[in-house]
Amino acid sequence: MKHSEDLRRLLESIDRKSYPAYKSAQGSYDFGDFILSIDHVQGDPFASPSKVSITVSHQKAGYPAAFFDCPWKKTALEDYLVRQFGREISQFNFKAKGSGKSGLIAISNPGPEILSRTACDCTNAGIIARFEVGFPANGRTINSGQLIRILFDFLPACVRTVFFYKNRNPKEVLSVIHLSEDQQAIRQELKQRRLVSFVADGAVLARESGVSSRPMKNGVPFLSPESLKVTLVLPHKGKLSGMGIPKGITLIVGGGYHGKSTLLKALELGVYNHISGDGREYVITDDTAVKLRSEDGRSINNVDISLFINDLPNKKDTHSFSTADASGSTSQAAAVIEGWEAGSKAFLIDEDTSATNFMLRDELMQQIISREKEPITPFIERARDLFGKAGISTIMVAGSSGAYFYIADTIIQMDCYRPFDITDPAKQACARFGPDPTVNAPGFQLPSGNRKLLVNSGASRQKGAALSKEPDASFRKQGGYGREERIKTKVHGKDSLQVGHEQVELRFVEQLIHSEQTAALAQMVRYCVEKQLFSRHSVKEIADILISQVQQGGLPSISDSSYPAMGLCMPRKQEIFACLNRYRG
């Protein structure tokens, strides 16, 4: 391995040369306290910044092995280091001057959720941090003096401040590890106490605004109703009281603007751990829970939606249903089945974003339009069987129909952001109002769960193109030198991705929370296409293959890059399923 002084001499020798001369700096260099790797050099100062990484051995870093001896503590420590490193290097961002992205120094920018990222990785070799640096230039002429400032002055100071345990506040680091252990303990308690979710007293659920993830200043602290209050004894926090939402069917009701959707949003993001100070660090939901909603225009591929939709006028088979342009009801029916296939044990539903005809049919409508003339069996008639026969709980926000009161096990009213358990009075009102207006639908039968995606023939990619079981040959055509063409990927924020010519819309996959998760999904789809997994495996098998590959080799193992970049973040199994199911290729 080369020494840091070799790098300094090289940079001095290429000063004022043409920008491509920076390529000669690629490689690894020993800086004594850490190893610097220049993994990829940008083509010019206006291109995407160069990819750089540092490795600090555990012996030099000094972080106790007990801080990363299990997945949740390891992820929490890596997340902490990314945040601290980001704060440190931001002080030096663009302090080195030049054209284009010259002087940029950046690492991943996490939100309040704690996620596993390629930006930092605690491995057997040590702690690896990956980030980007804009190599300075004047026009397209190298300004290596400014890069020497970044690599020899700015960077070592940041590395020593963040990655050397002796330079950190031990209590601060320990609090991060303790919080992760407490959060994991709550997840274990959910299983033992048969709860779907836990919301701690004192939690602040409201956000600063619709585009901000920061807690609302002077937000109303959460206070559990006595009938739903549970007290947990956590390893470090000690006793913690809050509302436990039991398994079954839970209804959240109340007037407009009283906090129904705010509570549901906190529950849907409770599948992730949150950092201290977020206000929702002790809001924990079953990590398999999935948010369901209607999604007009999405593609559905070979899904058995017969549990909800049958006897279509055009005689289309709903046991193997495909469409390139789904209606709201068919998209939500498919989402239920896909969620079950992904192993979800809880569905989160907001009436406002659901297809009304999928959710229920009132008594008058049933009298006028007979069941024989209606192909849709509404969700309200399947919810009890989903729980009783498939073990899937439902938490639903409702405000327009009292029919849901009849099927609910627990009814929570939100009043000025305060929850009240109104289950008993609501059931008494139901008894006075009359018999259950819903009809229990017969023939509850879930599909096999071994569904394969049908793959577009290479002849056509147009909307509505016929589906076949042949693999898509157009992705595998040979290049001019007898090599397979690389499949290109693009990511458009967190809402969509593109693999080859196919765009996958994900803006309604609401538990996808960071663009780096979307970037990882793009790499997973590309990996599936290159390995021809779609034509050989079921969706469940593909998801298991992808997760196993990441567990063995990390997220870089499914990347198309020759170097591990910082910009990937692990999605849940449920979001992997959602992406695969929306891929039209």
Side-chain angles (χ1 to χ4, degrees), residues 480-550:
Y481 295 96
R483 298 173 299 178
E484 288 191 357
E485 290 184 345
R486 301 296 295 178
I487 300 171
K488 294 182 179 180
T489 62
K490 292 182 181 178
V491 176
H492 309 285
K494 70 179 179 64
D495 292 336
S496 69
L497 60 90
Q498 187 171 329
V499 179
H501 299 291
E502 296 291 347
Q503 187 155 322
V504 183
E505 291 293 336
L506 298 170
R507 67 183 184 277
F508 293 130
V509 182
E510 296 185 25
Q511 287 161 297
L512 193 65
I513 55 168
H514 201 282
S515 59
E516 291 184 2
Q517 288 178 305
T518 308
L521 289 172
Q523 294 299 328
M524 289 179 179
V525 174
R526 179 206 55 78
Y527 183 89
C528 291
V529 174
E530 287 193 345
K531 302 294 183 182
Q532 301 178 37
L533 300 184
F534 288 123
S535 59
R536 300 202 303 264
H537 298 281
S538 67
V539 183
K540 184 179 183 303
E541 289 170 342
I542 292 172
D544 289 341
I545 289 169
L546 291 169
I547 292 170
S548 175
Q549 179 67 27
V550 171

Side-chain angles (χ1 to χ4, degrees), residues 71-88:
W72 50 92
K73 288 193 284 185
K74 178 177 179 288
T75 299
L77 178 61
E78 292 166 350
D79 177 86
Y80 169 78
L81 294 174
V82 167
R83 293 173 194 273
Q84 298 307 312
F85 193 54
R87 288 192 183 99
E88 289 297 320

Side-chain angles (χ1 to χ4, degrees), residues 332-385:
Q332 203 159 353
V336 172
I337 301 304
E338 292 165 353
W340 169 75
E341 290 175 343
S344 296
K345 290 299 180 184
F347 290 153
L348 310 176
I349 302 174
D350 193 331
E351 187 184 55
D352 285 350
T353 56
S354 296
T356 303
N357 62 336
F358 173 77
M359 294 304 296
L360 60 84
R361 296 176 72 230
D362 64 28
E363 190 173 4
L364 180 59
M365 183 62 75
Q366 292 187 45
Q367 288 183 11
I368 295 175
I369 307 298
S370 66
R371 178 172 288 274
E372 292 74 23
K373 299 294 184 181
E374 174 54 69
I376 301 175
T377 301
F379 183 84
I380 195 171
E381 297 182 22
R382 293 297 194 190
R384 288 243 60 92
D385 280 339

Side-chain angles (χ1 to χ4, degrees), residues 319-334:
H319 291 82
S320 177
F321 187 83
S322 298
T323 180
D325 190 14
S327 67
S329 56
T330 51
S331 67
Q332 203 159 353

Side-chain angles (χ1 to χ4, degrees), residues 399-412:
S400 65
S401 175
Y404 298 114
F405 289 131
Y406 289 89
I407 67 166
D409 299 306
T410 305
I411 303 171
I412 299 168

Side-chain angles (χ1 to χ4, degrees), residues 268 271-272 285-292 298 335-348 392 451 506 508-512 517 521 524 539 543-544 547 570-582:
E268 75 180 63
V271 298
Y272 302 108
T285 301
D286 183 321
D287 58 12
T288 68
V290 66
K291 175 76 179 294
L292 300 182
R298 66 155 284 196
V336 172
I337 301 304
E338 292 165 353
W340 169 75
E341 290 175 343
S344 296
K345 290 299 180 184
F347 290 153
L348 310 176
I392 300 174
R451 173 175 60 97
L506 298 170
F508 293 130
V509 182
E510 296 185 25
Q511 287 161 297
L512 193 65
Q517 288 178 305
L521 289 172
M524 289 179 179
V539 183
D544 289 341
I547 292 170
M570 187 63 187
R572 296 188 307 153
K573 183 177 183 179
Q574 283 67 30
E575 280 67 61
I576 295 174
F577 264 79
C579 181
L580 296 176
N581 286 320
R582 285 161 178 77

